[in-house]
Amino acid sequence: MQVTETLNDGLKRGYAITVTAAELDAKVNEKLTEAQPDVEMKGFRKGKVPMALLKKQFGQRLMGEAMQESIDGAMSEHFEASGDRPAMQPEVKMTNEDWKEGDDVQVDMSYEALPEIPEVDLGKLKLERLVVKADDAAVDETLTSLAENAQDFKARKKGSKAKDGDQVVFDFVGKVDGEVFEGGSAEGHALVLGSGQFIPGFEEQLVGVKADEDKAVTVSFPEDYQAEHLAGKEAVFDCSIKEVKEPVPAEINDELATKYGADDLAGLKTRIAEQLEGEYAGAARAVMKRALLDQLDTAVSFDLPPSLVEAEAKQIAHQLYHEENPEDTGHDHGEMEPTAEHKELAERRVRLGLLLAELGQKAEVEVTDAEMSQAIMQQARQYPGQERQFFEFVQQNQQMQQQMRAPLFEDKVVDHIVENASVTDKEVSKDDLQKAVEALEVDD
């Protein structure tokens, strides 16, 4: 077997591989020898079929396998000996298409090699970590919001008309074609107008009702209503209004705290402060990560595989097209032509991706099975009732697993870099942190 270099230009590599006819014949004979003990053929005992007959019967079929294995073996030996790592799947093409048995096999292999990544002295990286303390004002603001969400209702003055957001307590009887239908009646039902609890058009007709008033509400069930005997039909609900109540925030006290699982108000405040500071820390980490990536982007210089940059640029152009045209949900819009800006961003992403991968490999950073399972479970919660199906789908889909593993790996590499970099804490206000986060969105 011969491997001859035909191209060495930057990261581009080309090789001519020749697998001799003798090597192929030896490979076929090896396969036949392995199979011979199990072969049965009329007129011969099992395992006693002559090699010449086996070759006549199965040689042609095994030749293709022998070719593929020989070429794969030559490629593996080449990458092991050269130390090259292809950026993408190598392009392999047989050049003597008029090949016939007894001829050598000639193949051209071309690829772009991943570049050598220069060393980065992580200790020279200087980072600033923004620290925000949860002050009393922020805690009180959250408490007020919690009180509004845990709102109570109190009766409006007699004769007051119900408004959107009010709670109406009423009895009702629903009829279709003049007949009362099962499940269409209730007494003392409390309904917040505008909550969307009832079928479309129902709640809007109760706006303006008063206590002790009767109101007939006429609506049509949706065509896709779950009860097929009611789907698409018109119904009349005879409503008897008992009370009209206006929303009032819950009082901020120990009782409110127990509604949110705390022992008392002081405990709820402590929990809120911890939660807020956790949110601030997450935002501050995003700001620091961007600063870190900016430094790494200029820390070292190396050639980038053109194919990776081109693929990333096309992906960016495609993604931005759909962000700007959300109404176009298909993918038959043709290929997006990347702009110079897309290519510049692609170069940054490819450079940082290769650098982080190299740093992670050297630091032996790994995403554990437990971390992957946790990430899958978190994402599965976005599909209520289908969590198990989602989990099984990810387990059976290698590409999906890789998509989920990549950001986990990147975050762990970033943590490793931060641990070894020079980091200074800087206490700032919540507003300052917010401005820093907004600046990230503008830069994106």
Side-chain angles (χ1 to χ4, degrees):
M1 189 179 303
Q2 296 176 344
V3 179
T4 307
E5 185 176 80
T6 58
L7 175 67
N8 190 328
D9 182 13
L11 297 176
K12 294 181 179 180
R13 302 283 186 272
Y15 295 89
I17 300 174
T18 300
V19 181
T20 66
E23 288 170 325
L24 279 177
D25 191 55
K27 194 79 167 174
V28 170
N29 288 337
E30 180 184 328
K31 286 180 170 293
L32 290 172
T33 302
E34 287 177 3
Q36 188 178 33
D38 299 315
V39 176
E40 295 183 64
M41 193 176 290
K42 190 174 181 180
F44 298 94
R45 284 182 296 142
K46 181 179 179 180
K48 298 300 182 180
V49 180
M51 184 64 68
L53 191 56
L54 284 178
K55 195 166 188 177
K56 182 178 180 181
Q57 184 80 10
F58 303 109
Q60 194 77 25
R61 188 188 311 171
L62 293 175
M63 184 63 74
E65 291 181 21
M67 279 186 190
Q68 191 62 55
E69 288 181 12
S70 297
I71 294 168
D72 289 346
M75 290 169 59
S76 296
E77 287 177 18
H78 163 72
F79 288 127
E80 187 173 346
S82 67
D84 277 357
R85 293 176 298 163
M88 299 181 78
Q89 186 68 24
E91 184 179 337
V92 180
K93 183 173 64 175
M94 189 170 174
T95 54
N96 55 335
E97 296 178 1
D98 57 348
W99 178 89
K100 60 185 183 300
E101 192 169 349
D103 290 347
D104 295 343
V105 175
Q106 296 173 353
V107 171
D108 278 351
M109 174 179 69
S110 59
Y111 61 90
E112 291 172 4
L114 288 175
E116 289 291 326
I117 310 296
E119 290 282 343
V120 178
D121 187 348
L122 302 183
K124 290 185 177 179
L125 297 175
K126 297 188 183 300
L127 300 171
E128 188 174 71
R129 179 166 41 215
L130 303 181
V131 178
V132 180
K133 299 294 184 184
D135 56 21
D136 292 342
V139 172
D140 289 343
E141 183 181 342
T142 303
L143 271 175
T144 300
S145 177
L146 292 177
E148 289 173 354
N149 291 335
Q151 64 185 7
D152 294 324
F153 292 90
K154 72 173 184 179
R156 286 191 178 276
K157 276 196 249 178
K158 191 166 183 177
S160 296
K161 293 182 178 181
K163 300 177 182 178
D164 205 34
D166 282 354
Q167 185 186 71
V168 176
V169 182
F170 63 111
D171 302 337
F172 62 88
V173 176
K175 299 176 183 178
V176 171
D177 298 328
E179 297 292 329
V180 175
F181 61 89
E182 185 179 353
S185 304
E187 294 183 356
H189 185 83
L191 172 65
V192 177
L193 302 185
S195 64
Q197 181 181 342
F198 274 34
I199 59 177
F202 189 102
E203 296 171 23
E204 292 86 342
Q205 295 179 55
L206 291 184
V207 173
V209 299
K210 296 179 287 189
D212 301 324
E213 179 183 340
D214 293 330
K215 174 80 173 180
V217 174
T218 303
V219 291
S220 292
F221 285 96
E223 293 291 342
D224 58 352
Y225 194 65
Q226 57 187 3
E228 292 183 9
H229 66 290
L230 298 175
K233 291 191 175 180
E234 183 178 88
V236 177
F237 290 85
D238 294 323
C239 303
S240 178
I241 311 303
K242 302 302 181 185
E243 289 183 278
V244 174
K245 299 181 176 182
E246 63 178 329
V248 292
E251 290 187 30
I252 297 176
N253 52 24
D254 290 342
E255 185 179 347
L256 174 69
T258 58
K259 286 184 179 179
Y260 286 99
D263 293 333
D264 51 29
L265 185 57
L268 180 58
K269 286 184 175 182
T270 300
R271 183 184 298 179
I272 290 171
E274 291 173 350
Q275 182 178 341
L276 287 174
E277 290 182 359
E279 293 172 1
Y280 298 153
R285 186 185 188 281
V287 173
M288 184 173 64
K289 179 180 176 181
R290 170 61 67 81
L292 168 60
L293 295 179
D294 287 344
Q295 286 191 49
L296 289 177
D297 191 33
T298 58
V300 291
S301 177
F302 51 88
D303 291 336
L304 302 177
S307 58
L308 289 185
V309 174
E310 182 182 359
E312 184 66 29
K314 287 181 178 179
Q315 177 62 30
I316 292 170
H318 183 267
Q319 180 182 343
L320 291 177
Y321 169 81
H322 281 286
E323 288 178 5
E324 294 166 3
N325 301 275
E327 72 283 352
D328 188 351
T329 57
H331 296 279
D332 54 354
H333 45 63
E335 191 170 303
M336 300 290 103
E337 190 62 33
T339 65
E341 187 178 354
H342 296 154
K343 291 175 182 176
E344 184 179 348
L345 179 56
E347 288 177 355
R348 172 186 165 95
R349 288 187 180 178
V350 170
R351 184 182 300 108
L352 288 172
L354 294 174
L355 179 54
L356 290 174
E358 182 75 8
L359 291 171
Q361 185 179 7
K362 287 182 177 178
E364 299 183 349
V365 172
E366 291 184 356
V367 177
T368 65
D369 291 342
E371 289 167 337
M372 270 296 290
S373 295
Q374 186 178 3
I376 296 171
M377 289 170 62
Q378 286 178 344
Q379 197 158 332
R381 293 192 187 103
Q382 298 176 21
Y383 307 93
Q386 298 180 304
E387 292 90 346
R388 182 176 177 182
Q389 293 94 316
F390 179 83
F391 201 92
E392 291 175 351
F393 167 74
V394 174
Q395 285 184 319
Q396 298 167 6
N397 191 314
Q398 290 292 330
Q399 186 176 358
M400 187 70 174
Q401 288 180 35
Q402 182 55 34
Q403 288 176 357
M404 297 185 71
R405 188 182 301 274
L408 297 177
F409 176 79
E410 180 177 297
D411 279 342
K412 293 190 76 170
V413 175
V414 167
D415 288 341
H416 163 72
I417 297 171
V418 170
E419 287 174 6
N420 290 275
S422 175
V423 181
T424 304
D425 287 343
K426 179 182 179 182
E427 194 164 328
V428 298
S429 68
K430 181 178 72 170
D431 290 341
D432 289 335
L433 176 60
Q434 181 63 32
K435 288 177 184 175
V437 172
E438 290 172 355
L440 296 184
E441 296 170 356
V442 170
D443 291 343
D444 285 340

